[in-house]
mmCIF file of all heavy atoms in Angstrom:
data_model
loop_
_atom_site.group_PDB
_atom_site.id
_atom_site.type_symbol
_atom_site.label_atom_id
_atom_site.label_comp_id
_atom_site.label_asym_id
_atom_site.label_seq_id
_atom_site.Cartn_x
_atom_site.Cartn_y
_atom_site.Cartn_z
ATOM 1 N N HIS A 659 -8.583 12.867 -10.434
ATOM 2 C CA HIS A 659 -7.135 12.983 -10.731
ATOM 3 C C HIS A 659 -6.711 13.710 -12.014
ATOM 4 O O HIS A 659 -5.811 14.421 -12.065
ATOM 5 C CB HIS A 659 -6.527 11.594 -10.841
ATOM 6 C CG HIS A 659 -6.350 10.778 -9.537
ATOM 7 N ND1 HIS A 659 -5.364 11.122 -8.669
ATOM 8 C CD2 HIS A 659 -7.085 9.852 -8.833
ATOM 9 C CE1 HIS A 659 -5.461 10.468 -7.566
ATOM 10 N NE2 HIS A 659 -6.467 9.636 -7.662
ATOM 11 N N MET A 660 -7.644 13.581 -13.046
ATOM 12 C CA MET A 660 -7.343 14.346 -14.278
ATOM 13 C C MET A 660 -7.494 15.823 -14.046
ATOM 14 O O MET A 660 -6.815 16.625 -14.742
ATOM 15 C CB MET A 660 -8.375 13.801 -15.378
ATOM 16 C CG MET A 660 -8.172 12.482 -15.775
ATOM 17 S SD MET A 660 -9.602 11.784 -16.750
ATOM 18 C CE MET A 660 -9.407 12.657 -18.372
ATOM 19 N N LEU A 661 -8.401 16.200 -13.128
ATOM 20 C CA LEU A 661 -8.480 17.667 -12.826
ATOM 21 C C LEU A 661 -7.223 18.243 -12.201
ATOM 22 O O LEU A 661 -7.032 19.469 -12.171
ATOM 23 C CB LEU A 661 -9.689 17.883 -11.873
ATOM 24 C CG LEU A 661 -11.044 17.670 -12.393
ATOM 25 C CD1 LEU A 661 -12.131 17.683 -11.401
ATOM 26 C CD2 LEU A 661 -11.389 18.745 -13.436
ATOM 27 N N LYS A 662 -6.357 17.415 -11.735
ATOM 28 C CA LYS A 662 -5.106 17.785 -11.036
ATOM 29 C C LYS A 662 -3.892 17.542 -11.802
ATOM 30 O O LYS A 662 -2.793 17.988 -11.442
ATOM 31 C CB LYS A 662 -5.027 17.079 -9.624
ATOM 32 C CG LYS A 662 -6.095 17.386 -8.639
ATOM 33 C CD LYS A 662 -5.835 16.779 -7.318
ATOM 34 C CE LYS A 662 -6.814 17.284 -6.293
ATOM 35 N NZ LYS A 662 -6.506 16.700 -4.930
ATOM 36 N N SER A 663 -3.953 16.852 -12.970
ATOM 37 C CA SER A 663 -2.744 16.546 -13.587
ATOM 38 C C SER A 663 -2.959 16.410 -15.154
ATOM 39 O O SER A 663 -3.751 15.643 -15.648
ATOM 40 C CB SER A 663 -2.162 15.257 -13.106
ATOM 41 O OG SER A 663 -1.146 14.748 -13.872
ATOM 42 N N VAL A 664 -2.134 17.122 -15.983
ATOM 43 C CA VAL A 664 -2.164 16.924 -17.399
ATOM 44 C C VAL A 664 -1.643 15.635 -17.755
ATOM 45 O O VAL A 664 -2.178 14.914 -18.679
ATOM 46 C CB VAL A 664 -1.308 18.145 -18.113
ATOM 47 C CG1 VAL A 664 -1.324 17.881 -19.639
ATOM 48 C CG2 VAL A 664 -1.867 19.453 -17.736
ATOM 49 N N THR A 665 -0.551 15.212 -17.095
ATOM 50 C CA THR A 665 0.118 13.925 -17.394
ATOM 51 C C THR A 665 -0.858 12.761 -17.083
ATOM 52 O O THR A 665 -0.943 11.915 -17.933
ATOM 53 C CB THR A 665 1.383 13.802 -16.525
ATOM 54 O OG1 THR A 665 2.255 14.829 -16.740
ATOM 55 C CG2 THR A 665 2.091 12.433 -16.843
ATOM 56 N N PHE A 666 -1.557 12.855 -16.057
ATOM 57 C CA PHE A 666 -2.528 11.789 -15.676
ATOM 58 C C PHE A 666 -3.587 11.785 -16.762
ATOM 59 O O PHE A 666 -4.069 10.677 -17.103
ATOM 60 C CB PHE A 666 -3.109 11.989 -14.339
ATOM 61 C CG PHE A 666 -3.893 10.824 -13.833
ATOM 62 C CD1 PHE A 666 -3.394 9.782 -13.163
ATOM 63 C CD2 PHE A 666 -5.287 10.881 -14.091
ATOM 64 C CE1 PHE A 666 -4.137 8.761 -12.770
ATOM 65 C CE2 PHE A 666 -6.028 9.736 -13.700
ATOM 66 C CZ PHE A 666 -5.498 8.698 -12.945
ATOM 67 N N THR A 667 -4.073 12.930 -17.203
ATOM 68 C CA THR A 667 -5.107 13.059 -18.261
ATOM 69 C C THR A 667 -4.677 12.335 -19.512
ATOM 70 O O THR A 667 -5.426 11.616 -20.162
ATOM 71 C CB THR A 667 -5.463 14.526 -18.511
ATOM 72 O OG1 THR A 667 -5.901 15.084 -17.295
ATOM 73 C CG2 THR A 667 -6.545 14.557 -19.530
ATOM 74 N N GLN A 668 -3.384 12.682 -19.850
ATOM 75 C CA GLN A 668 -2.876 12.016 -21.109
ATOM 76 C C GLN A 668 -2.773 10.528 -20.907
ATOM 77 O O GLN A 668 -2.983 9.696 -21.916
ATOM 78 C CB GLN A 668 -1.477 12.683 -21.393
ATOM 79 C CG GLN A 668 -1.550 14.093 -21.850
ATOM 80 C CD GLN A 668 -0.111 14.763 -21.861
ATOM 81 O OE1 GLN A 668 0.817 14.195 -21.261
ATOM 82 N NE2 GLN A 668 -0.076 15.847 -22.476
ATOM 83 N N ARG A 669 -2.451 10.073 -19.718
ATOM 84 C CA ARG A 669 -2.349 8.589 -19.453
ATOM 85 C C ARG A 669 -3.751 7.959 -19.644
ATOM 86 O O ARG A 669 -3.808 6.836 -20.193
ATOM 87 C CB ARG A 669 -1.868 8.404 -18.045
ATOM 88 C CG ARG A 669 -1.513 6.994 -17.656
ATOM 89 C CD ARG A 669 -1.059 6.992 -16.195
ATOM 90 N NE ARG A 669 -0.869 5.627 -15.754
ATOM 91 C CZ ARG A 669 -0.560 5.356 -14.463
ATOM 92 N NH1 ARG A 669 -0.615 6.269 -13.545
ATOM 93 N NH2 ARG A 669 -0.433 4.036 -14.117
ATOM 94 N N VAL A 670 -4.763 8.574 -19.115
ATOM 95 C CA VAL A 670 -6.105 8.071 -19.277
ATOM 96 C C VAL A 670 -6.550 8.061 -20.759
ATOM 97 O O VAL A 670 -7.065 7.010 -21.244
ATOM 98 C CB VAL A 670 -7.117 8.939 -18.430
ATOM 99 C CG1 VAL A 670 -8.530 8.514 -18.753
ATOM 100 C CG2 VAL A 670 -6.849 8.767 -16.972
ATOM 101 N N GLN A 671 -6.180 9.141 -21.409
ATOM 102 C CA GLN A 671 -6.575 9.267 -22.864
ATOM 103 C C GLN A 671 -5.886 8.155 -23.619
ATOM 104 O O GLN A 671 -6.494 7.505 -24.526
ATOM 105 C CB GLN A 671 -6.135 10.613 -23.378
ATOM 106 C CG GLN A 671 -6.769 10.923 -24.780
ATOM 107 C CD GLN A 671 -6.529 12.405 -25.155
ATOM 108 O OE1 GLN A 671 -5.565 13.049 -24.547
ATOM 109 N NE2 GLN A 671 -7.192 12.928 -26.069
ATOM 110 N N LEU A 691 -12.195 18.908 -20.746
ATOM 111 C CA LEU A 691 -10.969 18.855 -20.052
ATOM 112 C C LEU A 691 -9.777 18.741 -21.096
ATOM 113 O O LEU A 691 -8.782 19.356 -21.006
ATOM 114 C CB LEU A 691 -10.877 17.825 -18.986
ATOM 115 C CG LEU A 691 -9.695 17.972 -17.946
ATOM 116 C CD1 LEU A 691 -9.831 19.282 -17.236
ATOM 117 C CD2 LEU A 691 -9.820 16.847 -16.964
ATOM 118 N N TYR A 692 -10.001 17.885 -22.037
ATOM 119 C CA TYR A 692 -9.067 17.662 -23.136
ATOM 120 C C TYR A 692 -8.766 18.992 -23.916
ATOM 121 O O TYR A 692 -7.643 19.381 -24.093
ATOM 122 C CB TYR A 692 -9.444 16.601 -24.146
ATOM 123 C CG TYR A 692 -9.524 15.214 -23.661
ATOM 124 C CD1 TYR A 692 -10.382 14.255 -24.228
ATOM 125 C CD2 TYR A 692 -8.696 14.780 -22.523
ATOM 126 C CE1 TYR A 692 -10.382 12.898 -23.832
ATOM 127 C CE2 TYR A 692 -8.743 13.467 -22.065
ATOM 128 C CZ TYR A 692 -9.561 12.513 -22.645
ATOM 129 O OH TYR A 692 -9.556 11.287 -22.255
ATOM 130 N N PHE A 694 -9.404 21.938 -22.668
ATOM 131 C CA PHE A 694 -8.840 22.888 -21.765
ATOM 132 C C PHE A 694 -7.366 22.806 -21.735
ATOM 133 O O PHE A 694 -6.607 23.806 -21.778
ATOM 134 C CB PHE A 694 -9.490 22.610 -20.360
ATOM 135 C CG PHE A 694 -8.965 23.594 -19.298
ATOM 136 C CD1 PHE A 694 -9.339 24.846 -19.283
ATOM 137 C CD2 PHE A 694 -8.103 23.002 -18.297
ATOM 138 C CE1 PHE A 694 -8.828 25.723 -18.252
ATOM 139 C CE2 PHE A 694 -7.677 23.952 -17.284
ATOM 140 C CZ PHE A 694 -8.076 25.232 -17.210
ATOM 141 N N TYR A 695 -6.848 21.531 -21.633
ATOM 142 C CA TYR A 695 -5.357 21.351 -21.595
ATOM 143 C C TYR A 695 -4.713 21.601 -22.939
ATOM 144 O O TYR A 695 -3.547 22.027 -23.033
ATOM 145 C CB TYR A 695 -5.071 19.869 -21.095
ATOM 146 C CG TYR A 695 -5.345 19.733 -19.577
ATOM 147 C CD1 TYR A 695 -5.788 18.509 -19.142
ATOM 148 C CD2 TYR A 695 -5.332 20.746 -18.696
ATOM 149 C CE1 TYR A 695 -6.139 18.314 -17.759
ATOM 150 C CE2 TYR A 695 -5.532 20.590 -17.340
ATOM 151 C CZ TYR A 695 -5.939 19.333 -16.913
ATOM 152 O OH TYR A 695 -6.142 19.179 -15.529
ATOM 153 N N GLU A 696 -5.495 21.227 -24.080
ATOM 154 C CA GLU A 696 -4.895 21.488 -25.381
ATOM 155 C C GLU A 696 -4.635 22.935 -25.623
ATOM 156 O O GLU A 696 -3.790 23.264 -26.505
ATOM 157 C CB GLU A 696 -5.843 20.866 -26.356
ATOM 158 C CG GLU A 696 -5.740 19.319 -26.460
ATOM 159 C CD GLU A 696 -6.684 18.751 -27.385
ATOM 160 O OE1 GLU A 696 -7.524 19.547 -28.000
ATOM 161 O OE2 GLU A 696 -6.856 17.509 -27.483
ATOM 162 N N GLY A 698 -3.284 24.776 -23.571
ATOM 163 C CA GLY A 698 -2.122 25.203 -22.850
ATOM 164 C C GLY A 698 -2.296 25.548 -21.433
ATOM 165 O O GLY A 698 -1.362 26.047 -20.752
ATOM 166 N N ASN A 699 -3.520 25.305 -20.964
ATOM 167 C CA ASN A 699 -3.840 25.605 -19.583
ATOM 168 C C ASN A 699 -3.223 24.582 -18.601
ATOM 169 O O ASN A 699 -3.145 23.384 -18.961
ATOM 170 C CB ASN A 699 -5.281 25.654 -19.326
ATOM 171 C CG ASN A 699 -5.953 26.812 -20.130
ATOM 172 O OD1 ASN A 699 -5.629 27.956 -19.921
ATOM 173 N ND2 ASN A 699 -6.901 26.450 -20.983
ATOM 174 N N GLU A 700 -2.835 25.022 -17.437
ATOM 175 C CA GLU A 700 -2.427 24.122 -16.397
ATOM 176 C C GLU A 700 -3.562 23.712 -15.508
ATOM 177 O O GLU A 700 -4.600 24.368 -15.550
ATOM 178 C CB GLU A 700 -1.298 24.823 -15.521
ATOM 179 C CG GLU A 700 0.010 25.097 -16.176
ATOM 180 C CD GLU A 700 0.665 23.850 -16.633
ATOM 181 O OE1 GLU A 700 0.750 22.905 -15.854
ATOM 182 O OE2 GLU A 700 1.210 23.837 -17.776
ATOM 183 N N PRO A 701 -3.452 22.644 -14.831
ATOM 184 C CA PRO A 701 -4.579 22.183 -13.923
ATOM 185 C C PRO A 701 -4.940 23.309 -12.957
ATOM 186 O O PRO A 701 -4.167 23.786 -12.129
ATOM 187 C CB PRO A 701 -3.960 20.978 -13.182
ATOM 188 C CG PRO A 701 -2.923 20.481 -14.105
ATOM 189 C CD PRO A 701 -2.312 21.659 -14.749
ATOM 190 N N ASP A 702 -6.187 23.720 -13.011
ATOM 191 C CA ASP A 702 -6.730 24.783 -12.115
ATOM 192 C C ASP A 702 -8.221 24.594 -12.158
ATOM 193 O O ASP A 702 -8.918 24.895 -13.071
ATOM 194 C CB ASP A 702 -6.319 26.181 -12.662
ATOM 195 C CG ASP A 702 -6.640 27.317 -11.709
ATOM 196 O OD1 ASP A 702 -7.810 27.232 -11.174
ATOM 197 O OD2 ASP A 702 -5.887 28.142 -11.496
#
Side-chain angles (χ1 to χ4, degrees):
H659 282 284
M660 292 167 74
L661 290 168
K662 293 186 174 184
S663 169
V664 177
T665 303
F666 189 88
T667 301
Q668 293 169 344
R669 187 181 175 191
V670 172
Q671 194 172 14
L691 196 57
Y692 290 156
F694 179 73
Y695 289 147
E696 284 172 3
N699 295 302
E700 292 297 316
D702 187 318

